[in-house]
Every structure is written in C-alpha cells, then in structure tokens.
C-alpha cells in the first residue's frame, strides 16, 4: 500500500484488525492506494464511523477509490457522515485538476454510527460509473448512483488509475473511522458487435 494527502496514516487497530484513522481537523483528504493503473475497475471496502455527525464541515467522510492518479485527480464514492448535505449522504466525486468535475449525491441514506457499510464502485473505459452502498455482509440491491464523465473515458485525465480508499475528518470533533475487507478487480466489457463483424437487429427475429 502507498499513501498520500493528509500526513497521518491509517493504523491497524487491535480488536478487529481493521484500518483506522481518528484524526481531527484534517487539512486535506488522506488516500491509500495499491496496485497498477487499471481501466475497467471494481473497488469495494467496508467503512464505519463512530458518529453520524459533527459540529460542521465535510466530516467525517469515508470513501473508496476506483481511479486514483494523484491528490488532484481521482474518482471516489464516499459516505459523508456529517452535516454537509444535512443528512448522511452517499456521494460520487470526479475530481480533475483539484476541482470538482462532477459531484452527485443521494441524501438521507439509512446508516447508523458504529455499523459497517460496503461501498462498491465500478468504472469502465467509456467513463461510466456505478455505485452501491449496503450493510456489511449484504449484497448490492437497487443501484444508488450512476453517471458518466469524459475525464474517465479513454483519453481523459482519469482514463486509468489505481484503486484504494480515502478518509477525511476536517472537523475538530472526534470521530473514529474504520476500513475493512478491501477488494478490487478489473474486468472486460461486453460488446454487442466486435470489430470487423456485423449484426442485424429485427423486430421479429435475430
């Protein structure tokens, strides 16, 4: 694993042997990433926060990375456990050149302090991403967030990248965040018609 961003690394806690950060007043986001650059990526991690909200700011915040290039260029899905969107929210961010190229969110998601939830994020070479969030040990059900961005497509600033997880607590209030069961893989996309082939679609047959 490699790390960047906010200086304090995640540590392995003694009871559950999960990665844990308990920082306050983070000046920037912390990133943990691994492996080589991939294009069609799946990344998932179980995340937990000891609190649902703090006194203000974008905190606490736990996320998964499906395309990480550097601290200014990445794709992440995250749970914002604090009051940024007034209620706990699931957020997908495309960050390009340090700025938000795209941010979409689903508010009032049913999460509880002290419980683990799985963040599951996919992205393909066409720049399409999909994100699920569900209780640890469960399975993806209804698709929560989906979209597309040109920076994620072939030739874009985020056409490839590494996988990992990310953490932030910019608030001075205490909040312990835990990460467990990180998994990642790459995959091949389906094609209706491959190069140099033809297909005919009819209303009565095929």
């Amino acid at each position: 694993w490699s790390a960047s961003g906010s200086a304090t690394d995640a540590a392995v806690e003694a009871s559950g042997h999960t990665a844990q950060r308990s920082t306050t007043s983070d000046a920037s986001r912390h990133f943990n990433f691994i492996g080589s650059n991939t294009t069609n990526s799946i990344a998932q991690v179980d995340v937990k926060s000891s609190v649902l909200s703090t006194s203000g700011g974008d905190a606490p915040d736990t996320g998964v990375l499906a395309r990480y290039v550097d601290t200014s260029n990445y794709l992440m899905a995250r749970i914002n456990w604090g009051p940024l969107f007034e209620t706990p929210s699931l957020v997908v961010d495309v960050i390009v050149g340090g700025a938000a190229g795209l941010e979409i969110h689903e508010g009032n998601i049913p999460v509880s302090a002290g419980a683990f939830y799985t963040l599951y994020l996919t992205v393909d070479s066409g720049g399409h991403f999909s994100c699920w969030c569900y209780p640890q040990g469960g399975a993806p059900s209804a698709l929560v967030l989906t979209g597309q961005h040109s920076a994620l497509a072939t030739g874009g600033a985020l056409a490839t990248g590494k996988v990992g997880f990310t953490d932030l607590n910019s608030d001075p209030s205490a909040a312990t965040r835990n990460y467990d069961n990180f998994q990642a893989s790459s995959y091949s996309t389906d094609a209706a018609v491959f190069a140099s082939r033809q297909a005919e679609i009819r209303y009565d047959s095929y």
Side-chain angles (χ1 to χ4, degrees):
W1 285 91
S2 300
S4 63
S6 182
T8 304
D9 289 335
V12 178
E13 48 86 16
S15 59
H17 306 290
T18 65
Q20 179 176 285
R21 288 187 88 233
S22 301
T23 55
T24 59
S25 302
D26 284 334
S28 61
R29 183 172 292 279
H30 183 79
F31 300 92
N32 292 274
F33 51 93
I34 193 171
S36 57
N37 291 336
T38 57
T39 301
N40 299 311
S41 304
I42 300 171
Q44 70 178 77
V45 67
D46 296 342
V47 299
K48 178 177 73 171
S49 173
S50 63
V51 298
L52 275 182
S53 62
T54 55
S55 59
D58 186 19
D61 195 286
T62 58
V64 65
L65 299 162
R67 294 256 183 93
Y68 173 84
V69 177
D70 54 38
T71 57
S72 297
N73 299 275
Y74 52 90
L75 165 68
M76 69 175 173
R78 58 190 172 96
I79 296 176
N80 180 267
W81 305 81
L84 179 64
F85 297 105
E86 297 183 358
T87 59
S89 301
L90 178 65
V91 189
V92 174
D93 298 278
V94 180
I95 305 298
V96 182
L102 176 69
E103 179 180 275
I104 57 175
H105 73 275
E106 177 74 20
N108 200 28
I109 60 173
V111 295
S112 300
F116 272 105
Y117 298 88
T118 300
L119 286 172
Y120 187 101
L121 178 62
T122 72
V123 61
D124 67 18
S125 59
H128 305 91
F129 61 83
S130 300
C131 175
W132 292 259
C133 178
Y134 49 93
Q136 183 186 53
S141 54
L143 185 64
V144 178
L145 293 175
T146 185
Q148 193 273 345
H149 195 280
S150 59
L152 301 170
T154 302
L158 296 173
T160 65
K162 295 179 172 62
V163 294
F165 60 92
T166 177
D167 179 86
L168 174 69
N169 184 14
S170 60
D171 196 82
S173 300
T176 301
R177 291 88 62 200
N178 296 82
Y179 300 82
D180 199 11
N181 299 321
F182 177 83
Q183 300 179 51
S185 61
S186 59
Y187 64 95
S188 299
T189 54
D190 294 329
V193 182
F194 290 92
S196 303
R197 302 294 177 89
Q198 294 181 337
E200 181 180 7
I201 302 175
R202 300 168 55 97
Y203 75 93
D204 58 346
S205 64
Y206 61 89

